[in-house]
Amino acid sequence: MMKEQIQEHVKNLLAEGRIEGFLGLRQQGTDIGPHLFKSADELGDLSLGDRQDPGDSRYPLDKILSRLAFNYPTDTFGVLVRGCDERALQQLFTVSMLHRDRVVPVGFACPPELAEAHQCWKPFPEALVAGEPSPGVVGGEDAVGSQLGLLGKLQEWFDTFDRCVKCYGCRNICPVCYCHDCTLEEAALLPTGEIPPANPNFLMTRAMHMVGRSLCIYCGLCEEVCPADIPLKSLYRLVSKIVGQEAVTPEGLAARQETAGQSVDKAAAG
Amino acid sequence: MDYKTVLTTCAYCGCGCGLYLEVLDGRLIGTLPSKTNPINEGKLCVKGWNIHEFVQHPSRLTKPLIRKNGTLTEASWDEALDYTASRLKEIKEAHGSHSIAFLASAKVTNEENYVIMKFARAAVGTNNVDHCARL
Ligand code: SF4
Ligand code: SF4
Ligand code: SF4
Ligand code: SF4
């Protein structure tokens, strides 16, 4: 049902010539991957990224989009977004990696069980085309916070960091990691070509870069991509609390984006 | 503008992780792990993440080289194969089959590894076959 609504919406965007293409997900057999839909005929293969379970096949579409926009700066593209993807778009607009006039987000809501699993405080985008918004989990990660703690359980965290194989996957997949010259490859700070990476410098540097600049939108893609199963998103949420800048906690981000953006009702009605 | 993703298998080791190569206007620009591949379940190692880089890399060898008077010189495939075959023959005649070893690869297909194993044992007559994963 949600899929049909998205297909119909994108079909119209393409027919009206409002977008050059629609960056979404395509199912081929049992595989789901990113795809740029250029014509309505292709939309039959559209996927929302739910293979067995909701949201089990998500990709950093915003990041791909910023690469397309870099090469084709005057073209306008549509992009499939969940709540977190839309938050990432906002961040990329702010740092001028994308221009808001040349992106048409096509959004759908995540089910409550996914919001619960992701401890997501806003599991739907403003540009809602399909699905019912569910309320989300506000302050939910406090439970994780009190269970693991960062300062109280430093040694446990450092032991967890020891598993890092320095694949850079967390950085590569992150929709809001946009720097051309990445500090994690800055030899003067973090010796390059050395495995295992300096602990905790390597992972804490990334944590500070994600949280300290209010970049992280807590999509959890980093955590999913980590071959060492390091709970990176939880780490970043804990660090955001310790840094103590309300604006950089998920709740703070939510409040900030609410004041900056339009109301949900308005977007849903339009 | 032509952007597409191509589902394929990592060629760097025998694990066989599934990944998407990103192609923009005919050039490889990136790699993404396949979320739906049962082998790697959306993860890659540092080699897989960078696999798009070697294909069009300017330092990649695309023609055979033969060392002539101490200098590596470009050669045709025919010349390179003739040279290799005749040298292998000479070495085998002068020093015996076991003076030759073959290094296969975890980066190629089972069939290619079978062929090099067969060539080593049946044509050259040695069991000296190993592969890159043990380096
Ligand atoms: S983080 Fe929120 S919006 Fe993103 S996939 Fe999870 S529940 Fe959906
Ligand atoms: S949760 Fe991870 S992948 Fe998502 S924005 Fe934060 S650091 Fe990036
Ligand atoms: S994804 Fe995991 S293993 Fe890879 S660099 Fe990041 S923390 Fe380390
Ligand atoms: S990504 Fe790494 S582990 Fe997977 S096949 Fe490639 S080299 Fe092997």
Side-chain angles (χ1 to χ4, degrees):
Chain A
M1 182 58 196
M2 277 205 298
K3 195 161 92 176
E4 284 76 28
Q5 282 171 305
I6 302 265
Q7 282 164 330
E8 195 54 34
H9 189 85
V10 174
K11 206 170 104 187
N12 292 334
L13 288 175
L14 286 168
E16 291 161 10
R18 287 186 55 203
I19 53 172
E20 287 302 314
F22 175 70
L23 189 61
L25 300 171
R26 178 176 62 167
Q27 175 133 18
Q28 295 173 289
T30 54
D31 289 297
I32 296 172
H35 181 68
L36 184 69
F37 294 83
K38 300 284 279 288
S39 82
D41 316 336
E42 297 177 275
L43 287 168
D45 295 333
L46 181 80
S47 162
L48 299 185
D50 312 319
R51 188 192 179 205
Q52 275 158 348
D53 299 308
D56 61 1
S57 307
R58 296 182 298 138
Y59 288 84
L61 295 177
D62 297 336
K63 188 168 207 163
I64 300 175
L65 186 65
S66 59
R67 204 116 50 101
L68 297 185
F70 180 79
N71 285 278
Y72 289 89
T74 57
D75 285 352
T76 300
F77 296 99
V79 61
L80 184 69
V81 295
R82 295 175 184 263
C84 54
D85 299 316
E86 191 181 66
R87 295 196 281 280
L89 279 182
Q90 297 292 344
Q91 303 293 54
L92 294 170
F93 295 152
T94 308
V95 296
S96 300
M97 289 300 285
L98 282 172
H99 196 292
R100 65 178 75 239
D101 294 345
R102 287 188 276 280
V103 177
V104 181
V106 177
F108 65 103
C110 293
E113 65 265 33
L114 192 61
E116 184 62 36
H118 288 175
Q119 294 288 291
C120 173
W121 75 95
K122 186 168 176 284
F124 57 91
E126 301 281 334
L128 194 68
V129 170
E132 282 299 315
S134 57
V137 186
V138 175
E141 198 105 359
D142 284 341
V144 176
S146 54
Q147 258 173 34
L148 299 171
L150 184 62
L151 295 176
K153 299 208 168 181
L154 263 189
Q155 195 52 49
E156 270 174 49
W157 275 100
F158 292 175
D159 291 348
T160 309
F161 296 171
D162 260 343
R163 301 203 298 259
C164 175
V165 294
K166 211 186 186 186
C167 68
Y168 291 98
C170 45
R171 176 202 64 184
N172 297 348
I173 203 95
C174 176
V176 295
C177 259
Y178 66 92
C179 298
H180 189 266
D181 295 317
C182 173
T183 303
L184 301 180
E185 293 185 65
E186 187 55 66
L189 293 170
L190 296 158
T192 50
E194 274 179 27
I195 288 178
N199 182 1
N201 308 30
F202 186 75
L203 285 186
M204 287 312 280
T205 299
R206 179 154 203 280
M208 288 311 295
H209 280 211
M210 299 323 295
V211 173
R213 290 188 295 165
S214 312
L215 277 175
C216 181
I217 43 81
Y218 304 94
C219 64
L221 284 176
C222 51
E223 214 170 272
E224 287 181 15
V225 89
C226 178
D229 281 335
I230 300 171
L232 294 165
K233 189 179 63 149
S234 304
L235 171 70
Y236 303 153
R237 292 188 83 148
L238 286 172
V239 171
S240 83
K241 278 177 193 146
I242 290 164
V243 173
Q245 301 167 16
E246 276 312 302
V248 305
T249 60
E251 295 76 18
L253 248 187
R256 206 179 50 172
Q257 293 198 338
E258 229 151 72
T259 34
Q262 335 86 312
S263 83
V264 184
D265 299 346
K266 212 167 83 192
Chain B
M1 82 107 42
D2 180 26
Y3 172 83
K4 53 184 179 195
T5 56
V6 181
L7 182 61
T8 185
T9 308
C10 178
Y12 267 139
C13 92
C15 286
C17 296
L19 51 86
Y20 285 93
L21 290 174
E22 299 182 77
V23 191
L24 182 63
D25 297 328
R27 289 196 68 78
L28 294 180
I29 58 161
T31 304
L32 286 165
S34 161
K35 292 275 185 155
T36 41
N37 187 292
I39 307 282
N40 54 312
E41 298 178 333
K43 304 156 205 304
L44 292 173
C45 80
V46 72
K47 292 190 290 178
W49 267 111
N50 295 290
I51 197 156
H52 59 281
E53 288 186 355
F54 80 82
V55 181
Q56 293 149 334
H57 198 281
S59 312
R60 184 177 177 189
L61 288 184
T62 53
K63 295 200 178 84
L65 300 175
I66 298 177
R67 196 179 297 280
K68 291 177 181 165
N69 303 321
T71 313
L72 286 171
T73 317
E74 272 188 14
S76 70
W77 282 104
D78 279 346
E79 187 189 353
L81 288 170
D82 286 348
Y83 174 77
T84 309
S86 59
R87 284 292 291 139
L88 281 175
K89 229 165 165 178
E90 281 168 31
I91 293 167
K92 181 181 165 182
E93 273 156 21
H95 306 286
S97 312
H98 296 306
S99 62
I100 300 172
F102 289 83
L103 192 65
S105 174
K107 291 171 67 172
V108 302
T109 62
N110 280 336
E111 290 74 9
E112 286 166 308
N113 276 319
Y114 178 83
V115 166
I116 198 170
M117 179 282 294
K118 202 70 180 169
F119 180 69
R121 297 206 162 109
V124 177
T126 178
N127 290 327
N128 295 336
V129 185
D130 213 325
H131 59 94
C132 67
R134 270 227 285 234
L135 289 178

